[in-house]
Amino acid sequence: MPNPKKSVSRKNASFGVTIREAERYLANTYKRPKLVFTHGKGCTLYDQRGRAYLDFLGGIAVNALGYAHPRLVRTLRREAGRLTHVSNLFHNPYQGPLARKLAKWSGMDRVFFANSGAEAVEAALKLARAYAHSKHDAGKTKILALENSFHGRTFGAVSITWPEKYRKPFEPLVPGAEFVRFNDVADLEAKFDESVCAVIMEPIQGEGGIRTVSEGFWNRARELASQHDAALIADEIQCGLGRTGRAFAYQKFASQPDIVLVAKPLAGGLPLGAMMAKEKFASAFSPGMHGSTFGGGPLVCAVALEFLRVVEENGLFANARDRGAELRAGLEQLSGKFDFVTEIRGEGLMQGMQLTMDGQAFVDEALRRGLLINCTQQSTLRFVPPFIIMSSQVKDFLTRMEAVLAKTPRTQPKKAAVHAVRSASRAGDTQGKRSLVAAR
Ligand SMILES: Cc1ncc(COP(=O)(O)O)c(C=O)c1O
């Protein structure tokens, strides 16, 4: 008879080897706890010891249908036996229907498929420049982005990403980028001239600490982009496809962007990004100007199409709104109990909790208590659970989060954390000012 205890310890030993090999052979780009996740179901992940974790990180806003969703698994199994890849020199059965659905959701006209968020950003920057070159004199190349932005790690995307730590080590970057203070209309007006070919923004900044673009700022960006024949680009890679309770975060504004970017949740955890554009801009691409070997393959597109159908058919916009409201109310209550919590920000299932101190110790304590969250901008705890999250799980999360806030050893406010709050305040973010006062 096999000894079950022995097989468990053998398994643990082999995961020990997995971790040692990762530490020895992987490029040094991530700092990870000594934990291997082996499987998941719904909103729960399991580690190598079989321990369960309630997931309020969702693969950083990717796993919108949680883990092993039956409809995605069925689609994957079916398509894996048919066609995983076919060259973009030919049609595949799912690209057209997926593009049609994305166009319908967004109000855009044409779609380009890529493999990641950063690649969708690259496609948008290239399209905006190509359009400007086709219609204007050579100097129309400037790209405006916002302070605190995050658009990805490729050269183009990192050139329009604000924090210096992402840009500085890789200089010289793609020329032509300029940053505008967050929600500062006067600064936007001062920097917007005839040389601008695009202005790009996340309607809700994710890595930047869950900060929402104001209606006034959006409207002025729209006006200036139209006036100067530049593209207004909405990076909805983190906030889009239902997380706010709407298909896109920008849909609360009266006006539309010219280009929309999505990725993270689009194919339920498989790598897929998309750039959608209005015909006026999209027509600047002609065959051969841009492309991708893998982008929009049949397997990922079939899964993405199924993902969008599940969101529509299972009422997940409403779930994001309703569970988001419960989450928000609970977080507000917690903020009243702990003086180092200065603000709750966000919309729907994209919420941030601003602390007056470094957040990593809270993330570690949450992990010890079987809760997955993370921290952005050093002092903002980020909560981006799957769209299928249930009321009982939001309740469970809030109970555990209260214990995390109560039990985590307090550190002194870090200079960097206070600095982040101060720069938000300088950017005209009035809620940030509240945080600054509290941080003092
Ligand atoms: C708003 C936004 N844009 C772009 C990206 C880059 O996406 P990817 O990591 O898939 O390249 C991210 C990733 O976090 C993001 O949050």
Side-chain angles (χ1 to χ4, degrees):
M1 279 276 278
N3 180 342
K5 266 195 184 153
K6 253 192 183 161
S7 88
V8 168
S9 73
R10 223 176 271 140
K11 229 172 160 185
N12 281 343
S14 86
F15 283 118
V17 172
T18 299
I19 292 170
R20 276 200 302 282
E21 288 181 346
E23 288 171 349
R24 162 66 183 80
Y25 291 105
L26 287 180
N28 192 20
T29 53
Y30 284 91
K31 207 168 145 210
R32 302 179 170 105
K34 289 192 187 306
L35 198 62
V36 181
F37 286 117
T38 55
H39 61 290
K41 187 94 192 123
C43 300
T44 306
L45 262 179
Y46 297 88
D47 72 11
Q48 75 271 30
R49 294 183 182 82
R51 185 170 184 230
Y53 298 78
L54 179 60
D55 188 4
F56 267 60
L57 179 58
I60 319 187
V62 167
N63 294 80
L65 299 187
Y67 300 91
H69 191 281
R71 283 181 60 177
L72 297 192
V73 171
R74 207 178 311 134
T75 306
L76 257 168
R77 287 207 168 115
R78 188 190 70 220
E79 295 307 318
R82 286 181 179 166
L83 192 66
T84 52
H85 173 77
V86 66
S87 162
N88 272 319
L89 297 173
F90 304 98
H91 290 292
N92 78 49
Y94 300 106
Q95 263 195 21
L98 178 60
R100 177 170 172 263
K101 197 172 260 306
L102 285 171
K104 194 166 159 227
W105 275 35
S106 63
M108 300 292 118
D109 297 310
R110 290 188 183 271
V111 182
F112 172 80
F113 288 112
N115 306 288
S116 65
E119 282 182 53
V121 171
E122 295 296 326
L125 300 183
K126 287 176 75 176
L127 185 67
R129 286 249 174 107
Y131 174 81
H133 286 314
S134 71
K135 301 274 176 193
H136 299 273
D137 295 339
K140 195 172 178 66
T141 55
K142 201 199 302 185
I143 297 158
L144 296 179
L146 301 194
E147 291 190 1
N148 275 328
S149 62
F150 184 90
H151 297 292
R153 312 286 192 151
T154 50
F155 261 109
V158 90
S159 302
I160 53 165
T161 287
W162 168 251
E164 276 213 330
K165 65 176 179 182
Y166 298 128
R167 285 184 284 129
K168 208 79 191 135
F170 308 108
E171 288 178 343
L173 302 175
V174 174
E178 195 170 342
F179 293 97
V180 174
R181 282 199 292 274
F182 187 72
N183 279 345
D184 187 332
V185 171
D187 197 39
L188 178 70
E189 287 170 343
K191 288 171 180 160
F192 218 125
D193 58 26
E194 280 306 306
S195 70
V196 173
C197 69
V199 53
I200 181 166
M201 65 187 80
E202 302 153 79
I204 305 174
Q205 291 186 331
E207 304 305 307
I210 319 292
R211 296 182 190 280
T212 305
V213 162
S214 70
E215 190 169 6
F217 190 84
W218 174 272
N219 287 342
R220 192 67 186 122
R222 176 65 277 172
E223 280 168 9
L224 288 164
S226 300
Q227 185 184 324
H228 294 285
D229 201 23
L232 172 58
I233 305 172
D235 179 344
E236 293 257 353
I237 287 164
Q238 191 160 151
C239 60
L241 296 175
R243 186 161 290 287
T244 57
R246 301 177 294 281
F248 295 99
Y250 68 77
Q251 286 168 338
K252 75 175 173 188
F253 303 129
S255 54
Q256 279 193 340
D258 302 297
I259 299 176
V260 181
L261 310 177
V262 291
K264 286 179 178 284
L266 177 56
L270 298 185
L272 181 64
M275 178 205 63
M276 301 164 253
K278 287 282 193 196
E279 187 67 48
K280 172 177 142 175
F281 287 92
S283 61
F285 273 169
S286 57
M289 278 178 78
H290 192 55
S292 166
T293 296
F294 288 113
L299 181 78
V300 279
C301 284
V303 174
L305 199 54
E306 191 68 357
F307 164 71
L308 297 177
R309 285 184 184 136
V310 172
V311 171
E312 285 175 341
E313 290 164 20
N314 293 6
L316 294 185
F317 292 139
N319 199 58
R321 273 196 300 277
D322 297 347
R323 303 294 81 74
E326 290 166 10
L327 176 61
R328 178 58 176 252
L331 290 172
E332 297 278 4
Q333 264 191 356
L334 289 183
S335 96
K337 290 185 184 174
F338 298 94
D339 62 359
F340 56 88
V341 177
T342 56
E343 193 190 359
I344 307 297
R345 293 189 291 265
E347 270 193 75
L349 294 175
M350 183 172 185
Q351 298 288 335
M353 176 183 270
Q354 183 63 50
L355 309 178
T356 56
M357 58 189 77
D358 195 289
Q360 191 52 45
F362 295 86
V363 174
D364 296 343
E365 182 64 27
L367 193 67
R368 277 192 285 279
R369 290 171 182 274
L371 203 59
L372 284 183
I373 59 172
N374 88 331
C375 178
T376 70
Q377 290 258 315
Q378 248 180 331
S379 56
T380 310
L381 299 182
R382 169 170 48 182
F383 313 118
V384 280
F387 301 175
I388 56 168
I389 199 83
M390 296 183 292
S391 257
S392 57
Q393 291 168 319
V394 171
K395 240 175 156 178
D396 182 11
F397 162 82
L398 290 166
T399 307
R400 292 199 219 187
M401 200 58 217
E402 179 161 4
V404 168
L405 294 170
K407 300 291 183 200
T408 303
R410 311 287 152 75
T411 50
Q412 283 303 305
K414 276 211 168 171
K415 264 193 194 149
V418 174
H419 174 76
V421 172
R422 278 203 178 122
S423 57
S425 167
R426 264 203 317 277
D429 177 348
T430 51
Q431 294 165 327
K433 278 180 191 139
R434 207 186 114 207
S435 310
L436 179 60
V437 172
R440 280 172 183 152

